[in-house]
Amino acid sequence: MTMPDLVRVPDLEPDAIRAAHGTIPEAFKDAPQYVHEGLSARLGVPVVVKVETANPIRSFKGRGTWVAVAALAGEGRIGPDRPIVCVSAGNFGQGVAYAARAHGIPAVVFCSTRANPGKVARMRALGAQVIEHGEDFDTARGASEAYVAAHDAELLVDGEDPRISTGAATLALELTDAVAVGSLPTPAAILVPVGNGALLNGIGSWLRYAAPATRIIGVQATLADAMTRSWRAGRPVDTDSAATYADGIASRVAIPQAVALMVGRVDEMRTV
Protein backbone atom coordinates (compact mmCIF):
# COMPACT_ATOMS: atom_id res chain seq x y z
CA MET A 1 0.00 0.00 0.00
CA THR A 2 1.15 3.56 -0.63
CA MET A 3 0.44 6.76 1.19
CA PRO A 4 -1.33 9.66 -0.57
CA ASP A 5 0.45 12.94 -1.17
CA LEU A 6 1.31 14.25 2.31
CA VAL A 7 4.21 15.75 4.19
CA ARG A 8 6.65 12.89 4.62
CA VAL A 9 8.44 12.67 7.97
CA PRO A 10 10.85 9.78 8.67
CA ASP A 11 9.57 9.42 12.23
CA LEU A 12 6.03 8.90 10.94
CA GLU A 13 6.85 6.25 8.37
CA PRO A 14 5.33 2.81 9.03
CA ASP A 15 8.65 1.17 9.94
CA ALA A 16 9.38 3.90 12.49
CA ILE A 17 5.95 3.51 14.07
CA ARG A 18 6.29 -0.26 14.27
CA ALA A 19 9.76 0.12 15.81
CA ALA A 20 8.45 2.64 18.34
CA HIS A 21 5.82 0.18 19.49
CA GLY A 22 8.61 -2.18 20.49
CA THR A 23 10.25 0.41 22.74
CA ILE A 24 7.25 1.70 24.70
CA PRO A 25 6.87 0.29 28.23
CA GLU A 26 4.41 -2.59 28.51
CA ALA A 27 2.27 -0.52 30.88
CA PHE A 28 1.27 1.77 28.00
CA LYS A 29 0.84 -0.84 25.26
CA ASP A 30 -2.05 -3.05 24.18
CA ALA A 31 -4.78 -1.00 25.82
CA PRO A 32 -8.23 -2.68 25.88
CA GLN A 33 -10.13 -2.41 22.58
CA TYR A 34 -13.48 -3.99 21.81
CA VAL A 35 -16.84 -3.56 20.10
CA HIS A 36 -19.06 -1.60 22.49
CA GLU A 37 -22.47 -3.29 22.43
CA GLY A 38 -24.43 -0.36 23.80
CA LEU A 39 -23.05 2.21 21.37
CA SER A 40 -23.31 -0.23 18.49
CA ALA A 41 -26.99 -0.86 19.22
CA ARG A 42 -27.68 2.85 19.51
CA LEU A 43 -25.97 3.77 16.23
CA GLY A 44 -26.81 0.67 14.23
CA VAL A 45 -23.21 -0.09 13.26
CA PRO A 46 -20.32 -1.75 15.11
CA VAL A 47 -18.56 0.83 17.29
CA VAL A 48 -15.06 0.02 18.52
CA VAL A 49 -13.71 1.78 21.60
CA LYS A 50 -10.13 1.80 22.81
CA VAL A 51 -9.60 2.46 26.52
CA GLU A 52 -6.37 4.41 27.03
CA THR A 53 -6.79 5.09 30.74
CA ALA A 54 -5.57 1.78 32.15
CA ASN A 55 -1.96 2.84 32.63
CA PRO A 56 0.20 4.73 35.17
CA ILE A 57 -0.85 8.19 33.94
CA ARG A 58 -4.39 7.29 32.81
CA SER A 59 -3.82 8.71 29.33
CA PHE A 60 -2.47 7.76 25.90
CA LYS A 61 0.15 10.51 26.33
CA GLY A 62 2.57 8.04 27.87
CA ARG A 63 3.18 6.51 24.44
CA GLY A 64 4.43 9.61 22.64
CA THR A 65 6.23 11.19 25.57
CA TRP A 66 8.24 8.01 26.09
CA VAL A 67 9.34 7.92 22.45
CA ALA A 68 10.27 11.62 22.40
CA VAL A 69 12.08 11.68 25.75
CA ALA A 70 14.05 8.54 24.92
CA ALA A 71 15.07 10.03 21.55
CA LEU A 72 16.14 13.36 23.08
CA ALA A 73 18.18 11.53 25.72
CA GLY A 74 19.82 9.40 23.04
CA GLU A 75 20.74 12.55 21.11
CA GLY A 76 22.30 14.08 24.22
CA ARG A 77 19.89 17.01 24.17
CA ILE A 78 18.67 16.21 27.69
CA GLY A 79 20.45 14.53 30.58
CA PRO A 80 21.04 14.63 34.34
CA ASP A 81 22.42 18.18 34.02
CA ARG A 82 20.10 19.39 31.25
CA PRO A 83 16.40 19.19 32.10
CA ILE A 84 13.46 18.73 29.79
CA VAL A 85 10.79 21.43 29.94
CA CYS A 86 7.19 21.27 28.71
CA VAL A 87 3.82 22.92 29.15
CA SER A 88 0.78 20.81 29.92
CA ALA A 89 -2.80 20.81 31.10
CA GLY A 90 -1.82 17.70 33.05
CA ASN A 91 -1.69 14.56 30.92
CA PHE A 92 1.25 15.42 28.68
CA GLY A 93 3.19 16.63 31.71
CA GLN A 94 2.57 13.36 33.51
CA GLY A 95 3.89 11.48 30.50
CA VAL A 96 7.02 13.64 30.31
CA ALA A 97 7.59 13.31 34.05
CA TYR A 98 7.16 9.52 33.93
CA ALA A 99 9.62 9.10 31.03
CA ALA A 100 12.11 11.64 32.40
CA ARG A 101 12.18 9.92 35.79
CA ALA A 102 12.85 6.57 34.12
CA HIS A 103 15.78 8.06 32.20
CA GLY A 104 17.22 9.93 35.18
CA ILE A 105 16.46 13.36 33.71
CA PRO A 106 14.98 16.32 35.62
CA ALA A 107 11.64 17.58 34.27
CA VAL A 108 10.10 21.03 34.59
CA VAL A 109 6.40 21.29 33.72
CA PHE A 110 4.56 24.58 33.26
CA CYS A 111 0.80 24.67 33.64
CA SER A 112 -1.86 27.30 34.19
CA THR A 113 -3.08 28.26 37.64
CA ARG A 114 -6.40 26.67 36.65
CA ALA A 115 -4.92 23.25 35.87
CA ASN A 116 -6.56 20.21 37.41
CA PRO A 117 -5.16 20.00 40.99
CA GLY A 118 -5.13 16.21 40.90
CA LYS A 119 -3.03 16.19 37.74
CA VAL A 120 -0.68 18.81 39.16
CA ALA A 121 -0.19 16.66 42.26
CA ARG A 122 0.44 13.60 40.11
CA MET A 123 3.08 15.41 38.02
CA ARG A 124 4.88 16.36 41.21
CA ALA A 125 4.58 12.82 42.54
CA LEU A 126 6.30 11.61 39.37
CA GLY A 127 9.25 13.86 40.18
CA ALA A 128 8.57 16.93 38.04
CA GLN A 129 9.07 20.49 39.16
CA VAL A 130 5.70 22.07 38.39
CA ILE A 131 5.46 25.81 37.82
CA GLU A 132 1.94 27.25 37.70
CA HIS A 133 1.72 30.41 35.61
CA GLY A 134 -1.11 32.36 33.98
CA GLU A 135 -4.78 31.58 33.56
CA ASP A 136 -4.64 29.36 30.48
CA PHE A 137 -2.50 26.79 28.72
CA ASP A 138 -1.00 29.13 26.14
CA THR A 139 0.05 31.75 28.68
CA ALA A 140 1.86 28.99 30.55
CA ARG A 141 3.47 27.97 27.27
CA GLY A 142 4.94 31.46 26.88
CA ALA A 143 6.41 31.18 30.37
CA SER A 144 7.97 27.82 29.49
CA GLU A 145 9.69 29.36 26.47
CA ALA A 146 11.08 32.17 28.62
CA TYR A 147 12.36 29.63 31.15
CA VAL A 148 14.20 27.65 28.49
CA ALA A 149 15.78 30.83 27.13
CA ALA A 150 17.08 31.69 30.60
CA HIS A 151 18.28 28.18 31.51
CA ASP A 152 20.23 25.44 29.80
CA ALA A 153 17.19 23.29 29.09
CA GLU A 154 15.32 21.58 26.24
CA LEU A 155 11.72 22.49 25.43
CA LEU A 156 9.41 19.72 24.25
CA VAL A 157 6.19 21.05 22.70
CA ASP A 158 3.28 18.66 22.32
CA GLY A 159 2.38 18.54 18.64
CA GLU A 160 5.68 20.04 17.49
CA ASP A 161 8.12 17.13 17.80
CA PRO A 162 6.85 14.45 15.35
CA ARG A 163 8.10 11.68 17.63
CA ILE A 164 5.22 12.45 19.98
CA SER A 165 2.91 11.54 17.12
CA THR A 166 5.02 8.45 16.41
CA GLY A 167 4.24 7.13 19.86
CA ALA A 168 0.57 8.06 19.56
CA ALA A 169 0.41 6.20 16.23
CA THR A 170 1.09 2.93 18.03
CA LEU A 171 -2.48 3.14 19.31
CA ALA A 172 -3.74 2.83 15.73
CA LEU A 173 -1.23 0.07 15.00
CA GLU A 174 -2.82 -2.04 17.74
CA LEU A 175 -6.23 -1.50 16.20
CA THR A 176 -5.22 -2.61 12.71
CA ASP A 177 -3.25 -5.56 14.07
CA ALA A 178 -6.47 -6.71 15.76
CA VAL A 179 -8.37 -6.24 12.50
CA ALA A 180 -5.73 -8.32 10.68
CA VAL A 181 -6.31 -11.33 12.95
CA GLY A 182 -10.09 -10.98 12.88
CA SER A 183 -10.56 -9.70 16.43
CA LEU A 184 -12.12 -6.40 15.35
CA PRO A 185 -14.08 -5.24 12.29
CA THR A 186 -12.37 -3.02 9.74
CA PRO A 187 -13.18 0.58 10.74
CA ALA A 188 -14.98 2.74 8.19
CA ALA A 189 -14.07 5.84 10.21
CA ILE A 190 -11.91 6.77 13.17
CA LEU A 191 -12.95 9.69 15.38
CA VAL A 192 -10.08 11.34 17.24
CA PRO A 193 -10.32 14.04 19.93
CA VAL A 194 -8.09 16.96 18.99
CA GLY A 195 -6.21 19.49 21.09
CA ASN A 196 -3.00 20.33 19.25
CA GLY A 197 -3.14 17.49 16.73
CA ALA A 198 -0.38 15.13 17.88
CA LEU A 199 -2.72 12.17 18.37
CA LEU A 200 -4.62 12.89 15.16
CA ASN A 201 -1.45 13.11 13.06
CA GLY A 202 -0.06 9.93 14.56
CA ILE A 203 -3.22 7.94 13.93
CA GLY A 204 -3.53 9.43 10.45
CA SER A 205 0.03 8.49 9.60
CA TRP A 206 -0.45 4.83 10.44
CA LEU A 207 -3.92 4.43 8.95
CA ARG A 208 -2.92 5.98 5.62
CA TYR A 209 -0.59 2.98 5.33
CA ALA A 210 -2.49 0.17 7.03
CA ALA A 211 -6.12 1.14 6.33
CA PRO A 212 -6.19 3.76 3.56
CA ALA A 213 -9.96 3.45 3.04
CA THR A 214 -10.69 4.46 6.65
CA ARG A 215 -11.88 8.05 7.08
CA ILE A 216 -9.96 9.99 9.71
CA ILE A 217 -12.12 12.54 11.50
CA GLY A 218 -10.83 14.99 14.08
CA VAL A 219 -13.25 16.25 16.73
CA GLN A 220 -12.89 19.46 18.74
CA ALA A 221 -14.95 21.43 21.21
CA THR A 222 -16.86 24.22 19.47
CA LEU A 223 -15.22 26.92 21.61
CA ALA A 224 -11.72 25.42 21.41
CA ASP A 225 -11.38 24.91 17.68
CA ALA A 226 -8.06 26.43 16.66
CA MET A 227 -6.88 23.30 14.84
CA THR A 228 -10.22 22.92 13.04
CA ARG A 229 -10.01 26.48 11.77
CA SER A 230 -6.38 25.91 10.83
CA TRP A 231 -7.16 22.73 8.87
CA ARG A 232 -9.93 24.47 6.95
CA ALA A 233 -7.75 27.51 6.20
CA GLY A 234 -4.65 25.50 5.35
CA ARG A 235 -2.55 27.56 7.77
CA PRO A 236 -2.25 28.10 11.53
CA VAL A 237 -5.21 30.06 12.91
CA ASP A 238 -5.19 31.01 16.58
CA THR A 239 -8.26 31.90 18.63
CA ASP A 240 -8.67 34.48 21.38
CA SER A 241 -9.89 31.91 23.89
CA ALA A 242 -10.44 28.20 24.40
CA ALA A 243 -13.51 27.37 26.48
CA THR A 244 -14.21 23.73 27.26
CA TYR A 245 -14.47 21.61 30.40
CA ALA A 246 -12.16 19.11 28.64
CA ASP A 247 -9.01 20.87 29.81
CA GLY A 248 -6.69 18.54 27.92
CA ILE A 249 -7.85 19.95 24.56
CA ALA A 250 -8.27 23.60 25.59
CA SER A 251 -5.62 25.18 23.37
CA ARG A 252 -6.10 28.46 21.51
CA VAL A 253 -2.74 28.55 19.69
CA ALA A 254 -2.29 26.29 16.66
CA ILE A 255 1.03 24.45 16.31
CA PRO A 256 2.36 25.17 12.78
CA GLN A 257 4.18 21.84 12.51
CA ALA A 258 1.02 19.95 13.47
CA VAL A 259 -1.11 21.92 11.01
CA ALA A 260 1.31 21.05 8.19
CA LEU A 261 1.18 17.35 9.05
CA MET A 262 -2.62 17.28 8.91
CA VAL A 263 -2.53 17.62 5.12
CA GLY A 264 -3.28 14.20 3.64
CA ARG A 265 -3.71 12.60 7.06
CA VAL A 266 -7.10 14.07 7.96
CA ASP A 267 -10.31 13.70 5.98
CA GLU A 268 -12.60 15.85 8.08
CA MET A 269 -12.73 18.06 11.16
CA ARG A 270 -15.88 18.46 13.25
CA THR A 271 -16.76 20.56 16.27
CA VAL A 272 -19.24 19.53 18.94
Side-chain angles (χ1 to χ4, degrees):
M1 291 181 245
T2 59
M3 287 186 178
D5 186 22
L6 42 73
V7 177
R8 303 302 289 264
V9 178
D11 291 301
L12 292 176
E13 293 295 307
D15 288 348
I17 294 169
R18 178 68 72 178
H21 190 259
T23 68
I24 295 170
E26 293 297 324
F28 293 104
K29 291 198 297 187
D30 301 317
Q33 51 190 15
Y34 54 91
V35 175
H36 192 293
E37 294 185 10
L39 288 174
S40 298
R42 183 172 180 179
L43 297 177
V45 294
V47 177
V48 175
V49 298
K50 188 162 180 61
V51 184
E52 286 286 319
T53 55
N55 61 58
I57 66 171
R58 300 182 181 183
S59 164
F60 74 92
K61 295 284 188 179
R63 296 173 182 261
T65 50
W66 184 274
V67 174
V69 169
L72 291 171
E75 294 165 358
R77 292 166 59 181
I78 55 176
D81 300 319
R82 192 164 198 267
I84 186 167
V85 179
C86 72
V87 60
S88 174
N91 292 340
F92 183 72
Q94 289 180 68
V96 169
Y98 183 96
R101 184 180 67 176
H103 288 83
I105 296 162
V108 180
V109 181
F110 281 79
C111 66
S112 81
T113 56
R114 297 181 177 181
N116 183 304
K119 293 180 180 180
V120 171
R122 182 60 179 151
M123 289 188 287
R124 289 185 170 131
L126 288 167
Q129 176 188 356
V130 180
I131 299 175
E132 300 175 65
H133 180 92
E135 294 190 352
D136 67 14
F137 175 91
D138 295 294
T139 302
R141 180 184 172 187
S144 73
E145 294 170 348
Y147 181 95
V148 168
H151 299 77
D152 185 22
E154 178 79 18
L155 181 63
L156 179 64
V157 177
D158 194 6
E160 189 172 277
D161 189 320
R163 292 171 295 204
I164 299 168
S165 291
T166 307
T170 63
L171 184 161
L173 179 153
E174 292 169 6
L175 284 170
T176 58
D177 279 358
V179 171
V181 299
S183 298
L184 292 176
T186 300
I190 297 282
L191 289 92
V192 185
V194 180
N196 56 35
L199 175 63
L200 181 65
N201 283 326
I203 288 176
S205 295
W206 178 258
L207 292 180
R208 284 304 186 228
Y209 161 73
T214 299
R215 286 184 59 78
I216 300 157
I217 303 170
V219 182
Q220 286 203 293
T222 302
L223 298 181
D225 62 344
M227 292 299 283
T228 298
R229 296 186 186 205
S230 299
W231 181 76
R232 291 172 179 168
R235 59 178 176 79
V237 177
D238 299 340
T239 57
D240 293 330
S241 62
T244 170
Y245 74 90
D247 55 357
I249 59 172
S251 178
R252 58 182 171 80
V253 176
I255 305 295
Q257 293 87 341
V259 174
L261 289 175
M262 292 170 77
V263 177
R265 292 178 170 86
V266 180
D267 294 303
E268 185 179 349
M269 292 291 294
R270 294 189 182 186
T271 57
V272 295

